[in-house]
Amino acid sequence: MLRGTGVSPGVAAGPVRVMTGAVPEPPAGRRHAGDADAERDRALAALETVGADLEERGARAGGEARDVLAAQAMMARDPGLAGVVTDRIAEGLPAPRAVFEAFNVFHAALSRAGEYMAARAADLDDIRDRAVAFLLGMPAPGVPDSDEPFVLVARDLAPADTALLDPSKVLAFVTRDGGPTSHTAILARAMGVPAVVACGDCLELPDGTMVLVDGTSGEVRPDPTEQETAAAHAAAEARAAALDVGTGPGATADGHRVPLLANIGGPKDIEAALSCGAEGVGLFRTEFLFLGRTTAPSEEEQEAAYRAVLEAFPHVVVRTLDAGADKPLAFLPPPDDEPNPALGERGLRLMHSHPGVLTGQLRALARAAAGLDTELRVMAPMVADVAETRSFVAACRAAGLSSAGVMIEIPAAALRAADLAAEADFFSLGTNDLAQYAFAADRQISGLARFQDPWQPALLDLVAPAARAATAAGKDCGVCGEAAGDPALACVLTGLGVTSLSMSARSLPRVRAALAAHTLDQCRRAAEAALRATDADGARTGARAELPGLEPLGL
Ligand code: PEP
Ligand code: MG
């Protein structure tokens, strides 16, 4: 039995497909056996195979993926590339090394040809790795391709890896790295797929092994019996049924309203949000729309995506592009060689180097909302101080947007929340990054997951003053970090004065049930108990003692 941290509930059983890591560089200094023609044929056949495979995957995926993959297939079949490969083989290099060097020649040329072409260079590396892997008899890198549904096992998953995933094929995610607030976890929850992260030995599972994954307990059982699989499914269904308490508006037992909102990544998430009873959208992560893109989306394309979401809900909070660190967007490159991308130009900061992207997005949003009754609120990620708040609010006003807020996800912003509240129309607390920066602990590093525990009293110490400052200024202060989806913590946050909770759609029923089972006064007492604790476990236990309605609901 393997154990990790369950981060997206549900159980699934299926065969493992391991996502392979980096393809090794074929060693320099070797020579082929002497038959240059045979070696050349081998190399060109590998390039053709890769091209055909990319094209076929694109045809199956359809939509935008088809165009992206068709363009990559053309690169693999480029006659100029074949020419360099042939020359290198004529000089004596073996096929894998010749292919490797030929791609690098083109990579260097593209990198020198400006920002747009430089973004294409990353695509070339992927095609190179596929061709080299084929020649070395290794599985293709990246998300595995499979006709049957599978359990995806990986070291970690970048958001870009998952952009091309077919949700009907992936039964569950299991990763060696990542914590509860890593984007693997967030994406798995959005897809409604069970997920286990920080699962130490998962990469040792041979491809094809049947596993049973429990996204609540974090257990991954190889070769389960039929009885074990059936029992796990039954338990998961019983848990889900116990929480089926309707889809009404969020409120405490004594009627204190706490709107329950969904975190979404685009129009594809609308259906799940509505079926789980989301009252609106509290966080639209717009960068998720454009992860696989090498060029900036047009304003028209953005407008269409935003409009689809705005038409589906009465209230929507849209976050402007939050690119950088673990969510790089090729068309928004950070400065070269940042040693600590999470502390570098990301989120709103990146917009200083790309101001046109922000104003274009704000214009697209204003146009998308025109003529609709939907209440559109727009907020910026990674805001640190008053100056950034002022300039963002001014940019929103210039675009004709009436509600401009800021995310509180940097401790400096939480500490000076009163100053920020004087400028912004609302706050939304990003507890994932707030924990990352408060504890100086990268949220992607599984060994540091303890610091990502949103029950840490130090994190709650930053939430409390932000909520107080917003209340004093008569402004809303929601939470849209993963903390909002924890039923007990949702009660604590309500007790701290937070005015709305936004989470992965599938967490909504649990949180709705927890709130409905307690009065505002109980929530306040739970918050006081959590703040009095000296560590996360103490905060959890102390708060739960004030929330007697959780246990009967199995929460
Ligand atoms: C957060 O940091 O809490 C947040 C909601 O933003 P993201 O997870 O997208 O960084
Ligand atoms: Mg964040």
Side-chain angles (χ1 to χ4, degrees):
M1 167 91 85
L2 277 60
R3 253 174 229 287
T5 308
V7 293
S8 179
V11 297
V16 162
R17 289 275 174 279
V18 181
M19 189 164 127
T20 35
V23 175
E25 176 178 334
R30 303 228 172 116
R31 301 185 65 77
H32 62 67
D35 186 347
D37 288 348
E39 201 65 9
R40 182 204 56 215
D41 290 351
R42 204 162 80 82
L44 299 187
L47 291 171
E48 174 51 32
T49 304
V50 168
D53 177 56
L54 289 166
E55 199 170 52
E56 191 204 310
R57 278 156 51 96
R60 259 186 286 141
E64 193 187 318
R66 184 181 47 216
D67 301 340
V68 172
L69 292 173
Q72 293 194 0
M74 274 173 67
M75 291 185 189
R77 290 166 168 153
D78 185 83
L81 180 76
V84 180
V85 170
T86 306
D87 291 349
R88 290 288 199 271
I89 290 175
E91 289 162 16
L93 296 190
R97 183 71 198 178
V99 166
F100 182 83
E101 291 195 4
F103 271 102
N104 288 355
V105 169
F106 280 76
H107 183 123
L110 280 186
S111 301
R112 286 191 301 268
E115 206 174 275
Y116 172 84
M117 287 300 183
R120 286 281 189 287
D123 293 351
L124 269 188
D125 289 349
D126 181 54
I127 306 165
R128 177 198 65 199
D129 289 347
R130 286 172 180 279
V132 170
F134 182 84
L135 286 164
L136 297 176
M138 295 171 57
V143 173
D145 195 24
S146 168
D147 288 333
E148 57 171 359
F150 60 94
V151 172
L152 182 60
V153 174
R155 195 173 67 82
D156 200 359
L157 289 168
D161 292 329
T162 51
L164 289 174
L165 269 185
D166 174 356
S168 68
K169 287 281 173 56
V170 182
L171 298 166
F173 293 114
V174 179
T175 62
R176 191 194 69 182
D177 298 344
T181 60
S182 63
H183 286 94
T184 304
I186 292 170
L187 282 161
R189 273 181 229 129
M191 286 169 72
V193 170
V196 174
V197 301
C199 185
D201 294 327
C202 68
L203 295 177
E204 311 297 318
L205 288 166
D207 232 49
T209 314
M210 288 298 293
V211 288
L212 176 63
V213 180
D214 185 330
T216 305
S217 67
E219 288 171 1
V220 179
R221 182 182 291 276
D223 301 316
T225 63
E226 265 179 38
Q227 288 92 322
E228 283 167 338
T229 306
H233 278 294
E237 274 163 30
R239 274 197 301 261
L243 296 171
D244 191 9
V245 290
T247 55
T252 58
D254 53 338
H256 172 73
R257 282 277 286 125
V258 185
L260 296 179
L261 312 169
N263 290 353
I264 66 166
K268 66 179 183 350
D269 299 329
I270 292 174
E271 200 184 307
L274 290 173
S275 69
C276 293
E279 295 173 58
V281 169
L283 169 62
F284 179 178
R285 290 182 163 101
T286 54
E287 65 281 359
F288 278 18
L289 288 172
F290 309 117
L291 285 171
R293 294 286 294 264
T294 48
T295 51
S298 69
E299 285 178 36
E300 291 70 31
E301 184 187 348
Q302 293 188 63
E303 187 185 333
Y306 303 150
R307 186 142 181 125
V309 172
L310 291 169
E311 280 172 346
F313 299 95
H315 320 276
V316 177
V317 180
V318 178
R319 175 172 76 187
T320 54
L321 293 170
D322 184 19
D326 61 330
K327 290 181 290 191
L329 291 181
F331 59 90
L332 283 176
D336 284 343
D337 300 331
E338 277 188 342
N340 292 304
L343 301 180
E345 290 196 21
R346 55 162 296 203
L348 183 65
R349 300 169 180 184
L350 207 42
M351 296 301 168
H352 300 309
S353 341
H354 306 273
V357 173
L358 178 63
T359 48
Q361 183 172 28
L362 297 177
R363 264 197 309 268
L365 281 164
R367 275 208 302 270
L372 297 179
D373 290 335
T374 311
E375 182 197 16
L376 167 63
R377 296 177 152 202
V378 181
M379 65 182 181
M382 294 293 296
V383 173
D385 64 5
V386 168
E388 287 188 336
T389 308
R390 266 195 203 128
S391 79
F392 180 72
V393 172
C396 288
R397 299 277 187 266
L401 295 162
S402 57
S403 181
V406 293
M407 287 192 72
I408 303 287
E409 47 186 356
I410 296 178
L415 292 168
R416 300 306 298 234
D419 298 341
L420 271 58
E423 309 289 336
D425 296 319
F426 67 96
F427 287 165
S428 184
L429 284 150
T431 48
N432 308 334
D433 278 316
L434 195 52
Q436 159 164 272
Y437 296 121
F439 286 92
D442 191 321
R443 61 196 266 193
Q444 301 213 87
I445 298 180
S446 55
L448 301 177
R450 178 170 92 74
F451 296 119
Q452 271 296 322
D453 187 333
W455 283 95
Q456 289 278 2
L459 178 65
L460 301 177
D461 276 344
L462 292 167
V463 171
R468 262 199 312 273
T471 308
K475 313 225 163 137
D476 283 340
C477 177
V479 172
C480 64
E482 294 304 296
D486 173 325
L489 196 47
C491 296
V492 166
L493 295 169
T494 300
L496 290 174
V498 157
T499 55
S500 65
L501 297 165
S502 191
M503 63 204 77
S504 311
R506 287 167 181 84
S507 300
L508 286 163
R510 293 155 54 82
V511 169
R512 182 180 294 109
L515 280 177
H518 300 97
T519 61
L520 177 58
D521 210 44
Q522 283 177 307
C523 292
R524 287 190 175 132
R525 284 205 298 273
E528 283 159 19
L531 287 173
R532 271 197 305 275
T534 54
D535 60 20
D537 283 341
R540 199 180 278 111
T541 318
R544 290 186 71 94
E546 303 290 343
L547 300 168
L550 295 174
E551 187 89 20
L553 289 166
L555 293 171

